[in-house]
Amino acid sequence: MPGFAIYRLPHENHATLVQQTDGEPAKLFSCTELNGKSGFVVAPFEVRSDQPILLIRPDKVENYTRGQYTRGQERCVIPAMGLHNVPDPVCNRGHYAIDFANFHSQLVGGAFRKIVLSRCVEEETAGPIDPVSLFDTACTLYPRMFIALVWTQKSGCWLTATPEVLLENKGGNHWQTIALAGTMKLEGEQLAGEGETVNWTTKNIQEQRYVATYIAECLEQFTSDFQEDGPYASRAANLVHLRSDFNFTLPSADRLGDLLLALHPTPAVCGLPKRDAFQFIVRNEHTPRRYYSGFMGPLGGQDTHLYVSLRCMNIEANHYHLYAGGGLLKDSTMEQEWQETEAKLETMRKCIAIRNT
């Protein structure tokens, strides 16, 4: 099977299946190649010859109301998956401590204002869990998030439940992107709200402001008509982030690939200065990110809904490689950052636990 994606937009009660019926998804090696294209995009953090941007051609597009997409899974059956594509070794606490010391020393030395450190863990079950049922569980658990299940021969199978918009059409020539950074875990009575009672630390406020400033500078290259609203607390599962919305107009959608090249990867998943932080991450992180912290979603004029691939996992038979990261500043501590990644990993761990009972 060439490839498919099934996704559900935040707060929607239906999912959409996008399926390519023959051939392989297009392999692209720069975001600029997305100019004028349409389909479902699966982009990695680092584009390489063996890790391209993939564009699933929308030969078949079908909508399913809640509950129907699990019954429609015969249309998007994932081929039997052995362990042919297992990622590099996972990152345990010892590996993470070494990475943290390396990354943090660059902040102290002034090489970066911010840099994002991620890690990968492996979960295993006695037998495989149907990936479409995991998608269904994620839709139930996380109504505020963009949920997507994607399979291609090149990328393997990925499930994401992400709160971060990279680029989204809001109708006509109106567009939106967001600056999402800073993370606090909701506990006790806070779980009844949207995070409005959280006391944000200076580190979280500063981290989010770095991202917002960068996005504003990117948008200035493409439009003079944009507005920032925020920051405000935005809940995602049992976590809350600081979010600013950037609403803007574009004269046409012909240069979306150019805009994506400027935005991706944002400092929310990379760092500042962006180019130097990106190269440092690629050379020094214990586990390559692959399609984690890239982006995915439908692309095509007013149907464009692209999200950063966060809170995600790569599924290989009964092995699940979960990814999470956090932004480091000079005053970050290893224990706090480790606990933040643990909280983010819980998003996918909960889906596995529910389906594994």
Side-chain angles (χ1 to χ4, degrees):
M1 182 177 63
F4 80 88
I6 183 168
Y7 67 91
R8 192 222 58 200
L9 296 175
H11 304 292
E12 294 285 357
N13 62 2
H14 70 275
T16 301
L17 172 66
V18 177
Q19 188 171 1
Q20 184 166 331
T21 56
D22 60 72
E24 293 185 359
K27 299 178 181 68
L28 310 177
F29 298 97
S30 171
C31 287
T32 58
E33 294 182 61
L34 292 170
N35 283 335
K37 299 289 200 309
S38 63
F40 192 96
V41 180
V42 187
F45 176 71
E46 177 197 12
V47 179
R48 304 191 313 234
S49 59
D50 62 339
Q51 191 172 272
I53 299 170
L54 299 167
L55 185 63
I56 299 172
R57 191 175 65 241
D59 295 332
K60 289 186 177 180
V61 179
E62 300 180 21
N63 291 322
Y64 297 97
T65 57
R66 185 164 182 78
Q68 286 184 328
Y69 37 79
T70 53
R71 294 196 295 275
Q73 62 185 284
E74 71 276 1
R75 298 184 177 90
C76 55
V77 173
I78 297 171
M81 295 180 295
L83 298 179
H84 62 280
N85 194 28
V86 177
D88 297 273
V90 297
C91 182
N92 61 31
R93 191 179 178 96
H95 298 135
Y96 184 82
I98 294 170
D99 278 2
F100 179 87
N102 187 17
F103 279 51
H104 191 253
S105 68
Q106 301 298 311
L107 292 161
V108 172
F112 309 117
R113 284 174 283 161
K114 172 190 174 175
I115 191 165
V116 175
L117 173 59
S118 70
R119 66 186 183 100
C120 174
V121 303
E122 183 180 357
E123 302 286 330
E124 186 175 354
T125 56
I129 303 171
D130 171 31
V132 180
S133 71
L134 288 168
F135 170 84
D136 182 48
T137 299
C139 288
T140 301
L141 290 175
Y142 310 121
R144 300 174 178 84
M145 297 189 190
F146 173 80
I147 314 295
L149 176 70
V150 175
W151 182 88
T152 72
Q153 187 68 48
K154 191 69 176 177
S155 66
C157 183
W158 290 79
L159 176 66
T160 186
T162 175
E164 186 170 351
V165 177
L166 181 64
L167 181 63
E168 187 165 45
N169 184 270
K170 307 302 286 186
N173 63 349
H174 297 281
W175 296 82
Q176 184 182 78
T177 186
I178 71 172
L180 192 78
T183 303
M184 300 285 284
K185 186 174 182 179
L186 298 176
E187 298 177 312
E189 295 180 355
Q190 292 177 332
L191 291 168
E194 296 297 314
E196 60 273 8
T197 62
V198 166
N199 293 317
W200 292 97
T201 64
T202 301
K203 183 260 184 185
N204 279 301
I205 295 170
Q206 186 177 21
E207 183 184 349
Q208 197 272 344
R209 180 40 43 189
Y210 281 151
V211 179
T213 300
Y214 174 82
I215 289 176
E217 291 171 351
C218 286
L219 293 179
E220 286 174 348
Q221 303 172 43
F222 296 87
T223 180
S224 60
D225 181 16
F226 70 90
Q227 178 178 331
E228 177 184 358
D229 297 312
Y232 61 92
S234 178
R235 182 171 175 174
N238 291 340
L239 302 176
V240 64
H241 308 285
L242 281 172
R243 167 174 171 164
S244 293
D245 295 339
F246 288 85
N247 294 290
F248 58 98
T249 61
L250 293 175
S252 77
D254 294 341
R255 294 181 60 204
L256 293 186
D258 294 353
L259 177 54
L260 289 168
L261 181 66
L263 290 173
H264 173 69
T266 74
V269 297
C270 186
L272 289 169
K274 174 178 163 177
R275 185 181 299 274
D276 293 340
F278 176 84
Q279 292 298 332
F280 188 86
I281 289 168
V282 168
R283 291 194 304 266
N284 291 280
E285 256 183 358
H286 181 77
T287 307
R289 297 186 182 186
R290 305 176 68 220
Y291 286 87
Y292 160 69
S293 70
F295 62 91
M296 65 173 65
L299 171 71
Q302 296 190 34
D303 294 323
T304 299
H305 304 278
L306 301 176
Y307 282 72
V308 182
S309 304
L310 304 177
R311 317 290 196 275
C312 65
M313 64 179 171
N314 178 222
I315 303 170
E316 287 282 351
N318 62 326
H319 294 256
Y320 309 85
H321 286 85
L322 284 62
Y323 296 78
L328 310 186
L329 300 183
K330 190 182 298 185
D331 58 351
S332 296
T333 67
M334 201 282 280
E335 184 61 28
Q336 287 177 333
E337 297 301 330
W338 173 267
Q339 292 302 328
E340 180 176 321
T341 60
E342 281 290 296
K344 291 174 177 176
L345 289 167
E346 185 61 25
T347 301
M348 285 292 128
R349 280 175 170 157
K350 192 171 183 179
C351 294
I352 295 170
I354 288 173
R355 285 297 176 177
N356 196 40
T357 54

